[in-house]
Each structure stands twice: as structure tokens, then as C-alpha cells.
Amino acid sequence: MIAPKSTALTMLANGTSQREVSRVTGISRKTLYRWAETFPKPDTAPRRHFVLPDTQCKPGEPLDNLRWIGKAIREYKPDVVVHIGDHWDFPSLSTYSAPESGAMEGLRYEDDLKAGNDGLSILHKAMGAWNGRKVLLRGNHENRLTRYLDRNPKLSGAMGFHQFNDRSLGWEVVDYHCGSPGQITIDGVIYAHYFSAVNTGRAIGGTANNKLNHVGTSFVQGHVQGYEVGTKQYATGVVRKGIVAGSAYLHDEDYKGMANSHWRGVVVLNEVRDGTFCEMPLTLDYLCRKYEGMSVARYLREHYENAEHRFSLARAAT
């Protein structure tokens, strides 16, 4: 005799396996599976993501920002930290300057490697007891190493990603694939250093809204300095957002000139669930005031020689 549907549903609601319910009630597992699909889904708790934009560690430049960021991670207690890429800057491997040019004079691979490893160690130490999930994506600056080794295969093994300290510090690494940044989806949000245009492989340009139209769902990317948010609400009521945040460092980039006065900071995503979130950007100035008790401009002036000449942030009003 087959038991009534109500009996089967009660057993399923109490956590009894479909196999056991089928054995007891005589109802097929196929039917039980169809009924289980009509159950209301549990109200899963939203999560918190902590996003590190490009840190671009290089020799001779300040790394204090990574200590502040680590302290913020320890304080905000996110469920996951995502470093969006370009942590190791590798100016010695850049192809934008000729090897014999003044811009390349004195640059050394081992110094670039040490700067990135030191920066990640500073961040890790400042995190303290926080030990959640850590995801690090390779950016185009890390990919400089891959491209260099492609041109100089004899150096493979003597140089390589095995010299990075990210995996030994517990980071889950997302590598490049076929010359483009890798992607990872966490709680419905897609992360990538940048997103490639269909058929060309080049980074999608334009505004955050333009990128959102091409990506098609909620995303966070780095690569482009500054901070921009794109939002799109569909007729179904679904809202999707795209964040472009590519600068969490203190130094200036020579090629940008006066344009170095862009936003610098990190982004906390609150209430992350199924691709929705509420974003909370935190500038490096805010973090410096929070953990050093002074503006980032004053901090740089007090701790670095010729700071007003070297750093746009040091020329800001205190």
C-alpha cells in the first residue's frame, strides 16, 4: 500500500533520505525528487567579500598599505578575501621599455620577486588570527613572467611561479588561461583581473556599465585604476552590478603623470548572495586614518623622503 503524499513530504521535511522514504512509503524516488523540488529553499545567510584591487608591489615603493589592509580584514572578518591581481608588478620584465633604455637601468627580477613576496607576507601577518578563504588571481603583470619565459625557455625552473609565496601562505590561485585572465565565481559574483572581448581576447573597455552589458552578470575586476560601479535592473526585478577597481597602492606610476590622482582603496561587499551585494569602498586614506591616526598624505610626508615629489597622495590636503 502506498502512503499518502503528506506522509512522504513530512518525512522529507524531517531530513529522511529519499531512498528511505521510498522504501517506507512505496513512492518512487523519481516522484519524491519532483516533490522535493517544490519545497521552499532555505534562507541562506548572505556573506561578506573583501576585495583587494591591484597592489603592484615593486622595489623601493611603500608597502604600508598592505599592513592597513590586513588589519581591516582582521576587523571586518569577511567570509572570503579576493585579491584581484597584479600583486607582483615585475617592472624588470616589462616590454613597454626597450631593454637598453634608462627606464630599465638597474632593474632586477629577484628584486621584483622579493617586493611581491614581502608585500604578501606583510598582509598575511597583519591579518592576525583571521584564517578564512583567500583567493588570488593572476594579473597581466604576473603574466609578464610567463611571456618572458616563453621567449627565454632556458630559464624555466630557475625562474617561475614556484618562487611566489602565495600558495605557501594559503592562497587559492587562479591562473591565466590561453593568454587571458582566469575567472572564478563566488556566491554568484564573477571575479577576473579583467574580462576579454569575444573574438579579440583584448580587455573590454569603456564604462563599468558597458562591461556589465558584455559580461552579462555581476562581476568585479581590477586592471583599470580608479573606482566605478555599473548597475542594471532587468524587467524581472533582478539587479546586477559590475565593479571596476584597480588601484590599492600608494606609489605613482610614471606613465600616468598628473592622472595619478585616482582613487586608491579596497572594496567590501556586504550581503553577497546569488550575484547581489551592497558595496562599501574604503580608501587608503580612510584606512591610514583608522590605523595610523593620520591622513595618508601626512603619513607619507613623515615616513618617506621627498614624499611630495614622489607621491600624488602626499600632495593631497591633510
Side-chain angles (χ1 to χ4, degrees):
M1 179 178 177
I2 297 178
K5 179 178 180 179
S6 59
T7 302
L9 292 178
T10 299
M11 294 178 68
L12 290 172
N14 289 334
T16 307
S17 70
Q18 291 184 14
R19 181 186 298 274
E20 180 64 14
V21 174
S22 178
R23 187 188 67 80
V24 172
T25 63
I27 300 171
S28 71
R29 292 179 64 186
K30 182 177 181 179
T31 299
L32 292 173
Y33 179 82
R34 188 177 71 252
W35 289 352
E37 285 292 292
T38 66
F39 280 10
K41 299 297 186 290
D43 185 18
T44 56
R47 307 213 303 160
R48 172 177 287 170
H49 296 188
F50 192 108
V51 182
L52 275 73
D54 310 26
T55 41
Q56 294 188 205
C57 299
K58 63 179 72 178
E61 300 294 359
L63 299 176
D64 311 75
N65 51 308
L66 291 162
R67 185 175 67 255
W68 309 333
I69 293 169
K71 289 183 177 181
I73 291 170
R74 183 172 62 191
E75 179 175 341
Y76 285 93
K77 297 180 176 62
D79 296 286
V80 59
V81 171
V82 181
H83 193 317
I84 212 68
D86 278 4
H87 177 75
W88 286 264
D89 190 76
F90 282 128
S92 65
L93 303 183
S94 174
T95 58
Y96 290 103
S97 300
E100 67 278 6
S101 68
M104 301 297 286
E105 178 67 26
L107 300 183
R108 296 293 183 269
Y109 165 79
E110 64 179 354
D111 295 334
D112 295 348
L113 176 67
K114 183 177 185 300
N117 284 349
D118 286 350
L120 208 60
S121 293
I122 291 169
L123 176 68
H124 187 263
K125 182 178 180 180
M127 288 180 185
W130 184 86
N131 193 32
R133 183 184 182 189
K134 304 189 294 288
V135 178
L136 186 147
L137 295 95
R138 301 277 191 232
N140 57 293
H141 282 238
E142 283 92 1
N143 196 49
R144 287 175 173 176
L145 177 55
T146 301
R147 293 162 59 193
Y148 182 83
L149 291 175
D150 284 343
R151 299 190 302 270
N152 302 275
K154 293 180 180 179
L155 295 174
S156 295
M159 301 169 61
F161 292 112
H162 63 281
Q163 297 173 308
F164 289 27
N165 64 350
D166 43 17
R167 286 188 167 92
S168 66
L169 291 176
W171 290 84
E172 176 185 338
V173 176
V174 179
D175 291 308
Y176 255 58
H177 296 287
C178 301
S180 294
Q183 302 176 10
I184 187 169
T185 301
I186 305 174
D187 299 320
V189 180
I190 301 180
Y191 289 92
H193 183 63
Y194 66 77
F195 293 89
S196 301
V198 177
N199 298 326
T200 69
R202 297 175 181 174
I204 298 171
T207 65
N209 272 323
N210 178 64
K211 293 179 174 70
L212 185 58
N213 286 335
H214 283 276
V215 175
T217 190
S218 293
F219 74 88
V220 179
Q221 75 153 75
H223 190 61
V224 180
Q225 289 96 339
Y227 177 74
E228 186 182 9
V229 181
T231 302
K232 184 165 186 173
Q233 181 168 344
Y234 295 88
T236 58
V238 172
V239 176
R240 291 293 177 255
K241 292 183 179 180
I243 292 181
V244 181
S247 41
Y249 50 83
L250 293 166
H251 63 267
D252 283 9
E253 293 290 334
D254 291 339
Y255 73 91
K256 287 185 67 68
M258 294 298 291
N260 273 290
S261 56
H262 49 71
W263 178 93
R264 322 286 185 94
V266 299
V267 186
V268 179
L269 304 186
N270 292 311
E271 303 176 70
V272 187
R273 179 168 48 192
D274 297 330
T276 64
F277 54 80
C278 182
E279 68 277 7
M280 181 175 70
L282 306 173
T283 66
L284 293 186
D285 184 64
Y286 171 82
L287 295 181
C288 186
R289 291 174 186 271
K290 185 178 183 67
Y291 299 116
E292 302 291 348
M294 65 182 78
S295 69
V296 71
R298 179 181 167 189
Y299 182 88
L300 290 171
R301 292 173 192 170
E302 290 189 3
H303 289 79
Y304 293 93
E305 189 175 355
N306 298 322
E308 292 184 63
H309 174 73
R310 292 175 59 192
F311 310 118
S312 296
L313 291 179
R315 296 192 289 274
T318 58

